[in-house]
C-alpha cells in the first residue's frame, strides 16, 4: 500500500484523486488546497485541509499545482527528508526545495475537466534524484495501470515541447480545416475519419514513412491551386511553411 | 446489382477492386489499365484489358488514375451517354469529357499500398450533373458500407485542401515531434497516446473547444522557454506561426 497526499485542486489533481480512490494499492491520506471550497464536494470521502502544517507523514506528497506555484509550495512544506514530487512537464526536478527528497511524476496527456481519463492509456514520466525512490514512483504508476518511463528533466522538457506540436498545434490545424470547410458550407464531420486515421497510422509507422500528399511529391500544380484557394493570409503562411518543411524532410 | 468497370491500377483502384470483389451488390465487369502487367496477378479473378475499345456497357465506369490523366482518359473513352466518374479530390466534375454522363466518387481518406482499408470508415463525397444519377452513386457507396455526402466541386476542393492540413501537415508536426524527442534520446512512443487522444477529442468536441496549452493561455514564459529549446530555425518559425494562429483564434 502506498500512502499519498495530494496538493492542489486543479484538473490533474482531481483526475489523480479519482483514480487513486479506485485503486486498492493507494491510500489517499489527505487532500490539501489553499482554497478549501474547491474541495468541499469531496470532504466526506477524504480528509481535506487548507493548512500545510496539518499534513501527516506519507510515502509521497504529490504537488499538482500550476507550474509557477510549484517551487514556492515546495518551500512552504513544514517538514523535510520526505518524498515530494511534482507533475509538470516543464518544471525541473531541482526547482523543488532541497530539504525534501525530490521527484517528478508527469503524466503526458491532455486533461480537460469534463472528459473521462483512462490512466491505462497515459504514459507517466518519472524522475528522482538518485535511484532509491524511483521504484516507489514506478509502483505508483503501475498501481493506476499506467506505463512509466524513466525520463530526466531535459528529456521531459523535450517531451513537453513535442507535446505542444502533436497536441496544441495539431489541434490548430484541425481548427483551420474547420474554417476552410465551414467557409464552403461543407460538414467538418467528413474529415473526422481522416483525422483519426492519421493519428492511428503513426502508432505503427514512423511519421516519416507515413507521409503522403502534394508536398512530399512536390506536386507544384496542386500546391499552387491550394494557395490560390486559401483566402486567409495567415493560413497561406502556414501552408507554405509546412509544405516547405515536408519538402525539406523528404529531400525535395 | 450495380455493374462497374475500373480504369487504372494505382492504390485507390486496387483498394476499390478489393472491396467491390467482396461486395455482393457490385459486379466488376472489367478492369482496364494501359499497362497490363500491373494487373497480371488479378487476371484469373477478373476480366482485364489494356484496350479502351474493349470496354463493355456497365452502370458506372470508375476512373481511378492520377489527377493529371483524368481529363485525357475520359476523352479517349470510345462511347457516350454512359455514367463516368472520377475519384479525385481536386479535379472538377467538368474536367470529365462531356460526351458521357459525369460524376465524382471521392473517398476522403489516406490510402497506402500496404495498409488495410476499411471502407466503412471512409466518407465518400459524391457529385453528379443533374439529380438523375446521384442515387446510383449513393447506392454504390452504401454497397461497400460507406457513408456518402453530396458535395459539389468547390466544396470537394475545400475538403481536399482541408485534408492536407489534417493529414499531411499534422503528420509533419508528428515528424517534428519525433525529431525533438530523438535529439534528447527519449522515446517517441511516449507521445503516441497523446497523438491518438488529440484526434479522438475532436470527434465529439469542436477543435475550438478542444484547444489547450500555452498559446491559448498566452503563457509567455512557457512560450519563451520552448523557443529557447528549439534549435532548428525552421521549427522555431513553425512554433511562432502556429502559436500566433492559436492566439488569434482565441482572442489573445
Amino acid at each position: 500500500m502506498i500512502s499519498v497526499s495530494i496538493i492542489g485542486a486543479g484538473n490533474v489533481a482531481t483526475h489523480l484523486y479519482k483514480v487513486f480512490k479506485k485503486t486498492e494499492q493507494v491510500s489517499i491520506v489527505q487532500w490539501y488546497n489553499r482554497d478549501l471550497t474547491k474541495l468541499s464536494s469531496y470532504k466526506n470521502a477524504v480528509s481535506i485541509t487548507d493548512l500545510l502544517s496539518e499534513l501527516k507523514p506519507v510515502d509521497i506528497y504529490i504537488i499538482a499545482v500550476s507550474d509557477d506555484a510549484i517551487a514556492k509550495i515546495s518551500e512552504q512544506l513544514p517538514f523535510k527528508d520526505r518524498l515530494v514530487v511534482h507533475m509538470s512537464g516543464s518544471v525541473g526536478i531541482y526547482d523543488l526545495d532541497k530539504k525534501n527528497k525530490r521527484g517528478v511524476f508527469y503524466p503526458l496527456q491532455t486533461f480537460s475537466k469534463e472528459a473521462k481519463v483512462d490512466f491505462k492509456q497515459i504514459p507517466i514520466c518519472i524522475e528522482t534524484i538518485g535511484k532509491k525512490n524511483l521504484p516507489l514512483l514506478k509502483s505508483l504508476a503501475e498501481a493506476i495501470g499506467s506505463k512509466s518511463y524513466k525520463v530526466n528533466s531535459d528529456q521531459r522538457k523535450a517531451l513537453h515541447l513535442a507535446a505542444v506540436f502533436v497536441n496544441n498545434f495539431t489541434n490548430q490545424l484541425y481548427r483551420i480545416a474547420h474554417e476552410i470547410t465551414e467557409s464552403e458550407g461543407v460538414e467538418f464531420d467528413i474529415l473526422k475519419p481522416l483525422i483519426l486515421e492519421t493519428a492511428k497510422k503513426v502508432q505503427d509507422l514512423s511519421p516519416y514513412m507515413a507521409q503522403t500528399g502534394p508536398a512530399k511529391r512536390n506536386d507544384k500544380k496542386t500546391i499552387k491551386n491550394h494557395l490560390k484557394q486559401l483566402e486567409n493570409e495567415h493560413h497561406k503562411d502556414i501552408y507554405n511553411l509546412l509544405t516547405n518543411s515536408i519538402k525539406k524532410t523528404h529531400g525535395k
Side-chain angles (χ1 to χ4, degrees), chain A:
Chain A
M1 176 74 99
I2 304 171
S3 64
V4 303
S5 283
I6 299 170
I7 294 167
N11 283 340
V12 179
T14 305
H15 286 299
L16 204 63
Y17 166 78
K18 285 178 183 164
V19 70
F20 284 164
K21 202 72 192 170
K22 287 188 298 186
T23 306
E24 281 191 9
Q25 302 99 296
V26 178
S27 143
I28 310 167
V29 175
Q30 285 167 297
W31 193 353
Y32 163 91
N33 198 51
R34 188 170 52 174
D35 173 7
L36 263 194
T37 58
K38 286 201 176 160
L39 297 180
S40 56
S41 52
Y42 302 98
K43 69 180 172 192
N44 296 321
V46 66
S47 167
I48 64 172
T49 178
D50 58 356
L51 293 171
L52 292 171
S53 59
E54 281 190 357
L55 287 174
K56 294 169 193 160
V58 292
D59 294 329
I60 314 173
Y61 296 88
I62 301 173
I63 299 181
V65 301
S66 66
D67 288 0
D68 289 343
I70 291 172
K72 199 173 165 201
I73 205 150
S74 81
E75 274 176 41
Q76 291 169 342
L77 295 175
F79 48 78
K80 58 179 188 169
D81 293 330
R82 301 182 192 166
L83 181 58
V84 174
V85 305
H86 74 65
M87 303 190 67
S88 163
S90 54
V91 173
I93 193 168
Y94 291 103
D95 291 347
L96 291 166
D97 191 281
K98 65 172 187 279
K99 70 185 164 197
N100 281 295
K101 291 165 195 152
R102 295 172 279 184
V104 179
F105 192 81
Y106 169 52
L108 195 122
Q109 190 50 280
T110 167
F111 291 95
S112 2
K113 210 153 220 145
E114 316 75 31
K116 269 204 173 175
V117 166
D118 179 6
F119 274 90
K120 286 180 188 61
Q121 303 302 324
I122 301 183
I124 302 210
C125 304
I126 56 175
E127 182 181 7
T128 52
I129 297 170
K131 285 180 183 170
K132 202 178 151 243
N133 291 300
L134 204 64
L136 188 58
L137 294 186
K138 201 174 152 70
S139 301
L140 186 65
E142 265 166 24
I144 57 174
S146 297
K147 200 169 170 183
S148 65
Y149 295 82
K150 190 175 167 265
V151 162
N152 69 34
S153 286
D154 283 345
Q155 291 175 327
R156 185 159 35 81
K157 283 177 189 173
L159 278 169
H160 185 260
L161 171 59
V164 167
F165 280 82
V166 304
N167 177 249
N168 309 153
F169 292 171
T170 287
N171 189 75
Q172 183 64 7
L173 296 181
Y174 301 161
R175 164 67 192 183
I176 293 169
H178 197 168
E179 290 180 26
I180 292 169
T181 50
E182 220 167 37
S183 74
E184 285 290 341
V186 54
E187 292 167 77
F188 178 69
D189 278 6
I190 304 179
L191 291 168
K192 287 180 178 177
L194 180 61
I195 285 172
L196 211 49
E197 183 59 27
T198 305
K200 279 185 186 165
K201 212 170 171 185
V202 295
Q203 303 296 311
D204 304 313
L205 226 61
S206 74
Y208 182 87
M209 293 301 293
Q211 193 58 277
T212 60
K216 188 196 167 187
R217 294 193 308 271
N218 196 15
D219 171 353
K220 289 183 183 127
K221 195 178 153 192
T222 302
I223 293 169
K224 201 179 147 197
N225 285 336
H226 280 168
L227 285 168
K228 218 185 286 172
Q229 265 176 271
L230 284 166
E231 282 160 18
N232 182 316
E233 284 302 320
H234 209 72
H235 296 174
K236 254 194 230 291
D237 289 345
I238 291 170
Y239 188 100
N240 272 321
L241 200 53
L242 285 165
T243 292
N244 289 335
S245 181
I246 294 171
K247 279 161 73 174
K248 212 175 157 197
T249 295
H250 293 273
K252 296 287 159 132

